[in-house]
Amino acid sequence: MSVAFGDTSYLSMEDKYDFKKLGIVHVISVSGLHMLIIFKALESFLTLEISIITAAVYAVFTGAQAATLRSLIMIIILKLSKKFSKNHDAFSALSMAAMILLMAKPYYVIDIGFALSFLSTLGISLFYKKLSRILYRFPDKINESLSLTLSAQSLSMPYVLFTIKNFALGFLLGDLFLIPMYSVVVVLSNIALVTCFIKPIFNVMCMLINIIMAAINGGTSLLVKISPPMVLSLIHISEPTRLALIS
């Protein structure tokens, strides 16, 4: 429920701490990662128009978070630019997404989720290709994962240290080993939701989810033990400002 649909009420405090220590909290709050996974899955067997509509329904169904809407807007811009044979610029798309969201909800300017989503995406746009060239000796999949993670953290980490006042040094372990499995869970869980009235298919989906979650639980237990402790920020921020940022 938390990974696929953003409902964290079923998680214990220990579970939430493990997500924080491994730097994968974004997995339990429907983010751009979720939207990208869902859209790619939809696009593989549906038309572009139906994929966009279905992805928009998913975004609303999961709470229409700032990060989800940002990703949806950027995906639509990318796909429409290809359809109309226009050049796509990631920075322009990111800026347009920010303007649309801030015009609709100006208070997003102090929303941590909004800021982290845009800073992470900006970091990827700026540094992903450069890091990929530097890490060319690694296998393609590892290179892609490392470059994506490090570029995303390049701009979001200072903001996290300033606002939340802690940072997980184990984020590379979480991103490399757990995110791929959680991505599969997101897809299977949504298939299970759609097919919940078709018992044979639903049972198969649940069985597969159960197997993957067992592997994730085992992997999480191991990674939490070997992951370095979280870094606490020494940056001072006044209590009223901190409360305003996290409210």
Side-chain angles (χ1 to χ4, degrees), residues 145-239:
S145 182
L146 285 174
S147 300
L148 194 65
T149 301
L150 292 173
S151 58
Q153 294 288 352
S154 63
L155 297 183
S156 62
M157 180 180 65
Y159 182 78
V160 168
L161 287 170
F162 181 74
T163 54
I164 305 176
K165 306 188 80 171
N166 61 60
F167 181 73
L169 291 175
F171 68 92
L172 280 177
L173 294 174
D175 281 341
L176 281 174
F177 299 106
L178 297 180
I179 293 298
M181 290 191 285
Y182 276 121
S183 299
V184 177
V185 171
V186 171
V187 175
L188 293 179
S189 298
N190 278 276
I191 295 174
L193 176 66
V194 174
T195 61
C196 61
F197 299 108
I198 308 173
K199 194 170 182 179
I201 298 177
F202 178 73
N203 287 341
V204 171
M205 293 300 106
C206 290
M207 180 185 69
L208 293 174
I209 292 169
N210 189 45
I211 293 171
I212 297 172
M213 287 305 302
I216 287 174
N217 289 336
T220 300
S221 299
L222 175 62
L223 293 179
V224 166
K225 290 179 182 178
I226 64 175
S227 179
M230 296 180 69
V231 173
L232 298 179
S233 172
L234 298 178
I235 299 173
H236 176 72
I237 180 172
S238 65
E239 189 64 15

Side-chain angles (χ1 to χ4, degrees), residues 79-146:
K79 296 301 178 180
L80 291 182
S81 68
K82 290 183 177 180
K83 186 172 182 178
F84 293 104
S85 302
K86 300 294 183 180
N87 292 329
H88 176 263
D89 178 65
F91 300 106
S92 298
L94 185 64
S95 300
M96 181 174 286
M99 288 188 292
I100 292 172
L101 292 178
L102 288 174
M103 283 190 293
K105 297 182 178 180
Y107 58 83
Y108 270 159
V109 74
I110 59 170
D111 181 83
I112 289 181
F114 175 90
L116 286 177
S117 178
F118 278 87
L119 286 172
S120 298
T121 307
L122 181 59
I124 292 170
S125 300
L126 287 171
F127 305 120
Y128 173 76
K129 290 183 179 179
K130 296 177 182 178
L131 285 170
S132 183
R133 287 194 292 267
I134 293 172
L135 302 174
Y136 72 95
R137 291 183 180 276
F138 288 93
D140 290 345
K141 290 295 183 181
I142 296 179
N143 182 326
E144 180 182 349
S145 182
L146 285 174

